[in-house]
Amino acid sequence: MSSLILWALLWEVVGRSGLTFFIPPISEVFLTLFGIIGTPAFTKALTETGYAFIGGVAASIVIGIPVGILIGKNRLLDEMILPWVNIFLSAPLTALVPVLMVLFGFGMTSIVITTTLFAIWIIILNTRAGVMQINRSMVEMARSFGAKPLEAFFKIYFWAALPEILGGVRIGVIRAVKGVIIGQLLISIVGFGALFELYSSNFLMSHFWAVLIVLFGMAFSISEFLAYLERRVAYYAAKR
């Protein structure tokens, strides 16, 4: 918190000095923020961005966690899928946006898929790492008691790998914020992407920074909540 206060004071000083029109005083930015919150344009942008963000993150979790567990417990699948996961994790995914536009059109579907592609790979990788650290005796015990694969999935692999899974989801959420804005800027100018385009083209920098602060605040809040959950379930790592 002290670091945020220090940076806010520095921002205010730079804004008041008039060195550049691109950085207005932070006090002016917050006044603008209070003025645009609740307006129809802001509400519509928040709804569209939230829909794409939640849809992309949900798809990443629903697909990424099972895939990560499968490749973590199966060496053949790991050798087949892991190279692709590493490629997409390190690749500039923005270059794939034109391909998604051709395949899925210019609507919300392409934006949701873009968000998913930004978030899913780190979730798969972290889940795999968590599964590979599970004590083998737990898996053998489940087998000896006749646990079915689905039961082992939910009662052994998921809970034992939960700290790493939450870590992957936390990083994936941060990457998803980047994905949803890129999608809204490149695929279809909607949501916060439309507001960024409008304010930057008209040099309304206080409005631009106000929307950016909202976006950063949302990402930071979700990230901190997931970090709190990570700390709460950290004892699973010791139980392994």
Side-chain angles (χ1 to χ4, degrees):
M1 182 59 68
S2 59
S3 175
L4 291 176
I5 294 175
L6 179 62
W7 280 106
L9 291 174
L10 181 61
W11 186 343
E12 182 72 16
V13 171
V14 173
R16 293 291 180 185
S17 65
L19 293 176
T20 173
F21 78 94
F22 184 72
I23 304 179
I26 193 170
S27 56
E28 180 182 337
V29 172
F30 276 105
L31 287 175
T32 304
L33 176 60
F34 293 140
I36 64 175
I37 287 180
T39 61
F42 183 85
T43 303
K44 181 182 178 183
L46 182 63
T47 302
E48 292 173 341
T49 301
Y51 174 82
F53 176 77
I54 293 173
V57 170
S60 302
I61 293 173
V62 171
I63 299 172
I65 293 176
V67 171
I69 291 177
L70 286 176
I71 67 175
K73 65 191 290 289
N74 189 298
R75 183 175 179 180
L76 178 61
L77 288 177
D78 186 51
E79 292 178 352
M80 293 174 58
I81 298 176
L82 183 61
W84 292 102
V85 174
N86 289 326
I87 288 172
F88 279 102
L89 184 62
S90 58
L93 296 176
T94 307
L96 295 178
V97 171
V99 179
L100 297 177
M101 293 165 61
V102 172
L103 293 176
F104 302 101
F106 294 85
M108 190 63 70
T109 301
S110 295
I111 299 176
V112 172
I113 294 175
T114 301
T115 307
T116 303
L117 288 176
F118 270 84
I120 191 172
W121 311 111
I122 191 64
I123 295 176
I124 294 175
L125 208 59
N126 267 43
T127 303
R128 170 187 176 272
V131 170
M132 296 186 73
Q133 294 183 55
I134 296 175
N135 192 329
R136 293 297 99 185
S137 62
M138 296 176 63
V139 179
E140 293 171 2
M141 180 186 66
R143 290 174 180 170
S144 65
F145 279 93
K148 298 178 180 178
L150 197 60
E151 291 176 328
F153 179 91
F154 285 107
K155 295 182 179 180
I156 301 294
Y157 291 103
F158 177 79
W159 291 105
L162 189 57
E164 285 79 10
I165 291 174
L166 287 175
V169 171
R170 180 168 60 87
I171 301 174
V173 164
I174 298 173
R175 289 172 59 88
V177 173
K178 179 180 178 180
V180 72
I181 296 303
I182 287 176
Q184 290 182 343
L185 285 172
L186 300 182
I187 297 174
S188 180
I189 309 298
V190 296
F192 281 168
L195 293 184
F196 285 136
E197 183 72 20
L198 174 65
Y199 296 150
S200 61
S201 61
N202 288 279
F203 302 102
L204 299 172
M205 302 316 300
S206 60
H207 291 71
F208 178 90
W209 283 105
V211 176
L212 197 60
I213 285 176
V214 171
L215 194 64
F216 284 167
M218 291 169 53
F220 179 78
S221 299
I222 297 173
S223 175
E224 287 300 304
F225 174 71
L226 292 173
Y228 168 77
L229 291 182
E230 281 186 70
R231 293 191 293 269
R232 294 285 293 178
V233 303
Y235 67 92
Y236 282 108
K239 293 295 184 183
R240 289 197 294 246

